[in-house]
Amino acid sequence: MTLPKLHVAVLMGGWSNERPVSLMSGEGVAKALEERGHRVTRIDMGRDVAARLAETAPDVVFNALHGTPGEDGTVQGMMDLMGLTYTHSGMVTSVIAIDKELTKQALVPHGIPMPGGRIVETAEIYQRDPLERPYVLKPVNEGSSVGVAIITDEGNYGNPISPDAKGPWQEFDRLLAEPFIRGRELTTAVLGDRALMVTELRPKSGFYDFDAKYTEGMTEHICPADLPEEITRACLDIALRAHRLLGCKGCSRTDFRWDDERGLAGLFVLETNTQPGMTPLSLVPEQAKKLGISYGELVEIIIADALAEKGKAA
């Protein structure tokens, strides 16, 4: 694949909890594009982002933002109104995929296995447990395992949970409560219309939280994962189906928990990330590299997909 030389605005940073990751992703993308001969304008998103993009007038925007408002449809809607071509998923897909409850409503009726659970008001968990322990509490609209808490009988959050204990209840008025699924952490990337492979993530301690994801040495990546063939096939199939059902573009990454004592019945989707990280520790570039796709080629493939989508809409 050969792209013409383009002027690419790399949109990164912002003000979400995932700002540091976005800056790393964006800088990696920008350097890769410059090495391949493209003209790059780096934009650290502030409140003047629309004016900056209008002034830059790029051929395409590489959206390297993570979290809100860069991944939740807000920036996508703005760029749609401005008539800009941009990478990754569009507004509607982004609105749905960042909301874990909306994602379930979109995927579960089509046979995608996801944990049960319900939305709870934060005040409720100070009175009683919303589910039988162990269970997981997480923000409804955050990624990268931001604010995830596993509630067990042996944990130090209290029973009921204490308002003074550090956890997502101190930051969010509403939380998603889900049953805790024991077992293994798996993830599958989709690039264009192809599921790449399955990676198993083994944190050195605790679980695969924000720090484990982005601190070198804290998590072992087994890529490709050593799994029964039927589990590998299921992850690839489910990730591609989720990508298509949600209407994802460019690339996505679907995260799973697998209870290996239950076989195929123990495989559950946790979420589909529409703008996966592009840092040195990120999973999509790692899977692509295993398949012979360099980081620079990966970036260009994502851009080519965005340009192709524009052509379809023209």
Side-chain angles (χ1 to χ4, degrees):
M1 180 201 68
T2 303
L3 278 182
K5 299 311 175 193
L6 301 167
H7 179 197
V8 184
V10 178
L11 192 55
M12 56 181 153
W15 51 84
S16 79
N17 290 322
E18 299 177 69
R19 172 181 170 81
V21 181
S22 173
L23 289 171
M24 285 191 288
S25 288
E27 187 57 30
V29 168
K31 286 181 177 177
L33 287 169
E34 288 172 337
E35 288 171 0
R36 297 176 82 83
H38 300 286
R39 177 184 165 205
V40 175
T41 300
R42 294 162 172 79
I43 298 179
D44 185 346
M45 187 179 74
R47 307 291 176 177
D48 61 345
V49 62
R52 293 284 310 280
L53 285 168
E55 177 186 334
T56 301
D59 297 313
V60 62
V61 179
F62 193 105
N63 187 352
L65 294 166
H66 302 312
T68 57
E71 197 174 351
D72 66 353
T74 303
V75 166
Q76 289 79 3
M78 177 198 71
M79 291 194 288
D80 285 340
L81 287 172
M82 295 177 69
L84 294 170
T85 301
Y86 57 91
T87 63
H88 299 82
S89 297
M91 182 183 71
V92 173
T93 296
S94 301
V95 167
I96 294 170
I98 199 153
D99 187 300
K100 296 176 178 65
E101 191 65 14
L102 289 178
T103 299
K104 288 184 181 183
Q105 292 172 15
L107 297 182
V108 171
H110 294 276
I112 303 294
M114 299 188 76
R118 64 186 182 91
I119 302 293
V120 296
E121 301 295 326
T122 298
E124 177 184 340
I125 67 173
Y126 299 145
Q127 305 300 320
R128 65 190 71 83
D129 285 325
L131 300 175
E132 182 179 349
R133 297 191 180 200
Y135 63 92
V136 178
L137 286 173
K138 60 181 74 171
V140 180
N141 294 78
E142 291 282 350
S144 289
S145 301
V146 170
V148 175
I150 299 174
I151 311 302
T152 65
D153 286 330
E154 300 80 22
N156 59 0
Y157 295 124
N159 193 357
I161 292 170
S162 166
D164 297 327
K166 185 179 179 181
W169 43 84
Q170 293 185 328
E171 298 181 60
F172 302 95
D173 295 328
R174 299 170 72 246
L175 295 166
L176 176 62
E178 292 180 338
F180 174 72
I181 301 166
R182 66 157 302 280
R184 297 158 69 175
E185 195 94 24
L186 309 175
T187 193
T188 295
V190 174
L191 179 62
D193 202 39
R194 173 193 181 190
L196 299 186
M197 61 176 57
V198 186
T199 300
E200 180 175 1
L201 305 155
R202 294 182 183 172
K204 300 293 178 66
S205 62
F207 72 104
Y208 191 55
D209 60 6
F210 186 90
D211 289 336
K213 286 184 178 183
Y214 299 114
T215 304
E216 190 167 4
M218 287 189 65
T219 299
E220 180 184 4
H221 294 189
I222 296 93
C223 181
D226 183 13
L227 301 169
E229 181 61 29
E230 70 167 357
I231 301 301
T232 295
R233 286 199 310 267
C235 287
L236 295 172
D237 174 66
I238 291 168
L240 184 56
R241 288 170 57 208
H243 181 94
R244 290 171 174 171
L245 285 165
L246 291 168
C248 298
K249 305 298 180 186
C251 69
S252 69
R253 196 194 71 239
T254 294
D255 298 335
F256 300 84
R257 287 285 287 185
W258 178 47
D259 183 342
D260 51 8
E261 294 181 356
R262 297 178 58 196
L264 194 56
L267 184 66
F268 295 90
V269 168
L270 298 181
E271 66 177 343
T272 294
N273 187 325
T274 58
Q275 285 169 218
M278 294 287 285
T279 75
L281 299 180
S282 292
L283 297 154
V284 174
E286 181 179 50
Q287 291 190 3
K289 184 178 180 181
K290 291 280 186 178
L291 293 170
I293 302 169
S294 71
Y295 186 96
E297 289 170 333
L298 172 63
V299 171
E300 286 198 334
I301 289 169
I302 294 170
I303 289 174
D305 187 83
L307 294 171
E309 284 299 314
K310 180 185 179 183
K312 291 175 188 175

